[in-house]
Amino acid sequence: MGTFVTLTEVLEARGSPLEEDEVWCLLLATADALLDISKKPGNMCTVLSPGSMLLSANGSLAFKSCARSEDVASYTAPEVQQGLTASTRAAAEKVVYSLGMTLYWCADYHLPQNQPVQISTELEGLLLSMCEDMAVRRTDLLTVLETCEFHHKSSMLPSPERLIRQLDMGPEFLRALEEPLVVLELPGSILTKKGKSPATHRELSVVMPNGQSILVKCEVKTRGGDVFDMIVAHSNLVEHFYFGLAYIDNEFFFVDNDTKISKVAPDSWKKVPTTTFVLFFRIKFFVNNISLLHKQTRHQFYLQLRRDLLEDRLSCHEETALYLGGLALQTEYGDCMPEVYGRNYYRPDQYVSKSVMEKRALPYVQAELLRLHANNAQMLTNESELEFLKQICQQLPEYGVLFHRVIREKRPSDGEIVLGVCAKGVIVYEVKDGCRSTAQNFFWRETATISSSKFIIECRGSRKKYNFITERSRIAKYLCNLCSAQHKFNNEMSSRQLSHSLVSDNIVQYAAVCRTQSSQLKSISCSETPQDDSGLTTPQEESLTKLCDDVAARIEARVEREVICVSLKKDPKLGLIVIVGEDTIGRYDLGIFIASIVPGGPADKDGRIRPGRLISLNHVSLEGVTFSEAGEVMEGSPEEVQLIVSQPKGSQTTLMTDGRSGDDSLDEIVSVMMTPKASNRLHVPRDVRALSTQDGCPIPPSLNCVGSEEISVELRKISGNLGISIS
């Protein structure tokens, strides 16, 4: 692509400021270009701006007149604004002011006002010296160039041309090809004792989701986990648990962390030191709720799925493929501006797959992509990237499925069969004319066992067995372990989704999640996998399953809830009811609750508080704290106390026999599922309640257990003065 894009368009497309090394390289290239221009009389401009600096995919720079829509005055030297004439040499110094202001703007792009610019003192000092109002104090262009050249050499930065190519827009997997080769070497402590021998040294090429290859130097007995950890550390990837290292043997096979690379590599890699074995850093576990992913993780998902679509590894209807292509164009180019780029600013084969190109005429594809790109105007990069992933999750049934070819044992001639393993279960596909169609589903809740002697799936209800033959016996074992890992991941993600729902207090979402959780507590077992890891149903789990069903039904019957913030002033003259103790179910605890409102007290007069969960007090969270910890927070509270309470909407609910409302007991049950029991809790019998008043009514003797009196006093100090009863 030979067209130019402005610096403004580059920053709008990426949605973030330039990094320090990028600023240094761009400053070096621009200063060099401007000095060349200054040698030709009459060609020197006096004002630069982010909208007038042009970058090309071939690594070159150009300049154009500032756009009328820009705030040019911000980038114009004071003497130019005053209309003073000057020589060509002086004009070169005036453009220094524009250049300094332009690049400082790039380093400050989209940063909050209270966040400092993320550049070094050296670079900031240089840019500020370029932006001096008085021309005589301003750093001249030659000094800027020499300073940049010295920093460039001492810091061993990439060439400015390479950086400009990287800043230019288009598919990241093409720009990554211009990246210099990254070489990583496993530390000596990881290598075996024979690792010092050159005969055992080997090389691995790890292909990243953006297409970049990383060369890893290791040795024959290196394990998969060592290589994976090094790649993760180099990439600074936080949520690495979604990914794995895979090799291709007709399909992708993930390498277990404990497996030696030599076990899966070809014989030539083990025998010939100069042979390179290729691994791929790929998604192993897919999520349905993309919003749960960290932004960095989400980008890796985008990169892989973008390539999988383009290379026909992920089936997609052509209309959906074109729509996704329009989102990818918005992500990688920003707003559609054919009047600037021309109508051929992209290559269609880089945005839709070969199969789509074969079904639709090229002019149609080009026109549709242009139209769809224009429809996404004003979407920021992260917004269009997120929408791209959401559309794949919602529209493509094959999203998250790992494919492996098998043969039916009893009907081997029925055509090609593909097994798809995903977080929800196993899917059997029939392949006809190169297209996959679903023939049968085995969801985890319906699956009793999976055996790796061949690959056998046994249904839970009918106990019917389905036998499949794999090319090699170890593939059957691999598929069995893959199923077990996906099943475990599915359960973990369900718990995480439930936690997310609880935090957001989205009770309507509780119901669906609870029902899902209850069904997923049922399990599969793999004959060569420890049964406990697969989650075989136990009596305890069965009771929890019933509990989940009950929670779901009760939640669906009561969906209206609110979180309120109330400030109350203490009233030391009023009596109170202090409820001391804790209710427990198994290993779980229920939190801090407002069980009732004392008539005539501050809470009653305020009128907004009803029985419910006490979330925080004076900005201190009470979620998961012990009674003694809650007492410490209450004891140190000032005269005016701020409470945050989660409570049912509407009129005050009727208390249950144990002093709590029906709605609060529901919160208890949901908490049971998510809050581990702390080991340092004070154990007080469920039926014990302390009735006390400020004028000295004694605490019942039955409460005289370790620490109970002290806690009663602490709770009384604040809850009684506020006119609420706490449990």
Side-chain angles (χ1 to χ4, degrees), residues 502-507 510 560-566 608-610 613-616 623 643-649 667:
L502 288 166
V503 170
S504 63
D505 207 34
N506 186 343
I507 297 180
Y510 289 174
E560 292 297 320
R561 196 165 183 83
E562 62 182 355
V563 176
I564 64 168
C565 179
V566 178
R608 287 178 289 172
I609 296 180
R610 293 184 294 278
R613 178 183 291 276
L614 184 56
I615 296 176
S616 74
E623 293 293 314
L643 306 172
I644 296 180
V645 182
S646 174
Q647 62 186 29
K649 286 186 177 180
D667 279 327

Side-chain angles (χ1 to χ4, degrees), residues 391-435:
Q391 288 298 319
I392 287 183
C393 291
Q394 296 167 8
Q395 302 295 332
L396 304 190
E398 291 185 359
Y399 164 76
V401 180
L402 307 173
F403 298 103
H404 291 276
R405 284 174 290 181
V406 295
I407 301 173
R408 279 197 178 98
E409 186 177 41
K410 294 184 179 180
R411 293 181 292 169
S413 61
D414 278 3
E416 188 177 0
I417 299 296
V418 173
L419 286 185
V421 182
C422 63
K424 294 183 178 180
V426 180
I427 307 169
V428 180
Y429 295 91
E430 293 179 349
V431 182
K432 293 182 180 179
D433 300 324
C435 297

Side-chain angles (χ1 to χ4, degrees), residues 295-351:
K295 181 180 178 181
Q296 182 191 23
T297 311
R298 197 161 62 226
H299 185 58
Q300 301 304 313
F301 269 61
Y302 167 80
L303 291 171
Q304 178 178 314
L305 293 170
R306 170 99 162 76
R307 292 290 296 274
D308 286 351
L309 275 173
L310 201 60
E311 296 169 5
D312 281 321
R313 280 195 288 267
L314 190 58
S315 296
C316 181
H317 188 272
E318 52 265 28
E319 296 301 327
T320 304
L322 288 167
Y323 180 74
L324 291 169
L327 287 169
L329 283 167
Q330 182 68 23
T331 301
E332 295 163 9
Y333 281 91
D335 287 351
C336 177
M337 291 184 286
E339 68 278 7
V340 177
Y341 305 139
R343 296 181 65 85
N344 297 320
Y345 59 93
Y346 68 94
R347 286 177 48 182
D349 62 338
Q350 293 174 357
Y351 289 88

Side-chain angles (χ1 to χ4, degrees), residues 74 130 195 230 304 427 449 466 471-472 478 669 674 709:
S74 300
M130 296 168 65
M230 175 154 283
Q304 178 178 314
I427 307 169
T449 61
Y466 297 84
E471 187 178 346
R472 293 183 292 276
Y478 168 84
I669 297 172
M674 300 308 304
E709 292 184 0

